Structure formats: C-alpha cells, structure tokens
Amino acid sequence: MAAATIGLCAIPATAAELRYAHVGAEGDFQTRFAAEAATEIEEATGGDVTVQVFPASQLGNVAEMVDGVRMGTIQMGHHDFASLARIVPEVAVFNAPFVYTDAEHAMRATDPATSPALQEINERLIEEGGVRIIGRIYRGARHISSNFEIKSPDDMAGKPFRAVPLDLWVSMVTGFGATPTPVEVSELPTALMTGMVVGQENPLTMISANKLNEVQSHVAMTGHMQSVLAVFVNEDTWQSLTEEQQAAITEVLDAKAAESLQWAQESEAALVEELKGKGMTFTTAENGLDLDAFRENVLAQIDQDFPDFGPYIEQIMSMQ
C-alpha cells in the first residue's frame, strides 16, 4: 500500500488512507453519516481508499479541524459551511438563516455538482485555501432551546445565548435579540448547566443526543436554519486519488446525503414526542411563537453584517 498523505503534498497513488474528523457526538446523524460513509467508501474503492473517522472533537475543535484539513494533517472533515468562512467569507451564506424554503431546497442549493453558487465558491476555496467541498449532510431544522418559554425576540433580549464560534452565528444570535456567547459544542452542556448561557439553538437530533433536556426545559420551534453540513477534503489529497476513486467517493457521499435527509425527516416528529416525554415544552406558531418577528429581525441583522451575501442568496433562492 502506498504511504498515506498525512502532512505531505499528496503523491499520486493507487491507495490512500484518509483521516476524517468532525465534532459530532455519538447519536447525532452526522456521526452515523461519517461512520457509514467510511465503510461504504472502502467497499466502493475495493479497499484502495480507507477512512478512519475521529468523532467528538478528538482531533481538535472546529477551527483546529479545519486548519488540519487545510494543512493535510487531516484529510477530510465535515462541519457547517460557515466553518470555512475564514478562507472564503461568503461560504457562510449556505448556513444563513431563513434562506431556504424547505429541506429539499437546502439540499439542491448545496449540491457541489449542480449548485452554481456553491460551484463558484468551491473554486475560491480550492484556490485560496486548498480545500474542496465534496458532499453535504442534512441534520434537520435548527430550533432554539432554553430554560424558559420563548415566543418572540423580546423574550431573549439581553440574555446570554450560545453562539457557534463563527461570525454568522454571532450575527444571527444578535438578530434574535440575545447576547451572543461563543461556546464550543463540547463545552455546551457545562455552559448551560452553570448558567454561562441560558439557551442555544440546534437540530432536535443534537438536543436529544447531547441530553440537553437535562439542562433545558423549553424548545421554540423556529426552524430558523435548515442545518446542512459541508463535507470537505484537502485538495492535494483529492488530486492524489484516481478519477475512479474520486467518482466512487462522490457517489457514496451523494447517496448518504439523500439518506441523511430521509433520517432527519422521519425522526423529527418522534424526537418531539421523545423530548416531551423527558419534560420539555414546545412552543410553535400554533401556540404563540412569532416566527415573522424572528425572520424580520434576523434577516435585517444578516443583511447589515454580510452585505456581500446578496448575489449568492439570489442564486440560492433561484433553485427553489
């Protein structure tokens, strides 16, 4: 077997060993996605490409993981598109709140093979950072959890809420009316338990997998984001693979993306009932949640903080 490409400019080879890192906890869809994709990539390439997955921040936090992929010490990873914004700021548009009409729209707009907006940004990621997006994962709509009832942005005013440590999330939480407090996902349960933050936002899968029901009592079903994660690879590593290996990996990731959408859509209703059974109270538009106020406030904040998103949002919306 040829030597792995860890930490080196990749040399064309017929075999490769890839380290795949992410920060997802056991039980989250993203953890299942990575584990199954690793097995299926090995099968699809006849064992010539092997993938070792490192979940739950084993190879570092989000920034460290992205830096590792850029340098080639980690060959693959996945996280929110906005995690790559230090390379190309506009890539965060694919995580922008209230930009998709539904889950299917989100998956169309983030398909590396067919989305004009993503293809344009991908070329910049390759040129400016040596990183290529090759797939995506659907995790479900993101909602707000807290230890008190939330019906409008007024209920969050001035309160410390967890923001993913990325500029887009800080802007969004500011739009919620809260005080954004960056917290790494691995530190989130402790931050909620100690009162460092009084709430956070994530898909129900994450709320369940991380047992946030033990430190949170309410969920506001804002659905403010369709949570889609980018699967990305070191460009030197990608170019070291044969065309057949690249095609096999892409095919696996496309199929897993479709499966992740199915997993999320099938599970949300069950997760609501599960979390209700664990004592959580849900607020929806039917019982007083003011979605229009959230949408108006957040989009105004995003437009103010990210004026360059406009053309890409237009391209995304055209793919409805």
Side-chain angles (χ1 to χ4, degrees):
M1 177 179 289
T5 58
I6 298 172
L8 301 173
C9 289
I11 299 172
T14 58
E17 300 169 1
L18 310 181
R19 301 208 305 172
Y20 182 155
H22 66 88
V23 303
E26 185 65 34
D28 196 311
F29 287 158
Q30 60 179 308
T31 302
R32 176 182 177 184
F33 180 103
E36 293 185 8
T39 298
E40 293 174 25
I41 286 170
E42 184 169 356
E43 292 172 352
T45 60
D48 285 337
V49 178
T50 57
V51 181
Q52 184 178 8
V53 180
F54 296 85
S57 305
Q58 290 179 24
L59 298 186
N61 62 27
V62 174
E64 291 165 338
M65 183 261 288
V66 171
D67 285 343
V69 176
R70 293 182 70 176
M71 292 185 295
T73 54
I74 302 169
Q75 286 70 50
M76 287 181 67
H78 74 242
H79 197 64
D80 294 294
F81 283 81
S83 66
L84 303 174
R86 287 185 301 158
I87 307 171
V88 176
E90 290 80 5
V91 72
V93 72
F94 296 102
N95 289 130
F98 300 112
V99 72
Y100 304 116
T101 55
D102 55 28
E104 289 79 8
H105 177 204
M107 295 302 278
R108 287 193 297 275
T110 54
D111 186 338
T114 59
S115 168
L118 182 52
Q119 288 171 340
E120 180 179 330
I121 288 176
N122 219 2
E123 287 301 316
R124 293 176 58 192
L125 286 168
I126 293 165
E127 181 177 346
E128 299 172 31
V131 174
R132 176 190 293 263
I133 294 171
I134 57 173
R136 70 266 198 241
I137 307 168
Y138 185 75
R139 292 178 70 209
R142 296 178 78 102
H143 307 289
I144 299 170
S145 73
S146 59
N147 53 22
F148 55 92
E149 186 176 49
I150 292 172
K151 290 188 174 181
S152 77
D154 290 342
D155 298 320
M156 300 175 68
K159 295 181 172 65
F161 267 71
R162 183 259 180 158
V164 176
L166 298 167
D167 290 344
L168 177 66
W169 263 262
V170 172
S171 179
M172 180 181 69
V173 174
T174 301
F176 287 157
T179 299
T181 306
V183 176
E184 293 290 346
V185 69
S186 58
E187 301 166 0
L188 179 55
T190 300
L192 290 166
M193 191 178 306
T194 61
M196 176 184 176
V197 294
V198 297
Q200 64 89 51
E201 53 78 46
N202 252 304
L204 297 181
T205 52
M206 186 276 183
I207 293 171
S208 173
N210 286 267
K211 300 181 180 180
L212 298 190
N213 56 282
E214 296 178 358
V215 288
Q216 301 270 267
S217 58
H218 287 72
V219 178
M221 295 288 281
T222 49
H224 51 274
M225 282 184 178
Q226 297 293 331
S227 182
V228 187
L229 308 183
V231 181
F232 44 88
V233 66
N234 174 272
E235 178 66 7
D236 285 340
T237 296
W238 187 249
Q239 295 304 329
S240 76
L241 303 174
T242 66
E243 291 184 3
E244 291 77 11
Q245 290 168 344
Q246 292 176 358
I249 292 170
T250 299
E251 186 174 347
V252 167
L253 294 178
D254 284 348
K256 298 311 294 183
E259 288 180 38
S260 71
L261 175 63
Q262 182 178 356
W263 299 338
Q265 291 180 327
E266 290 176 350
S267 71
E268 182 157 290
L271 282 167
V272 168
E273 293 308 311
E274 172 195 318
L275 292 169
K276 281 182 177 178
K278 293 178 179 178
M280 298 196 86
T281 299
F282 283 75
T283 307
T284 67
E286 285 69 36
N287 62 357
L289 183 63
D290 190 348
L291 287 173
D292 288 339
F294 276 104
R295 184 179 296 107
E296 181 179 346
N297 288 13
V298 169
L299 287 177
Q301 188 69 45
I302 296 296
D303 185 57
Q304 175 183 314
D305 294 342
F306 298 96
D308 293 339
F309 279 11
Y312 293 109
I313 289 176
E314 289 181 12
Q315 287 183 302
I316 289 170
M317 294 306 295
S318 72
M319 297 190 70
Q320 291 184 40

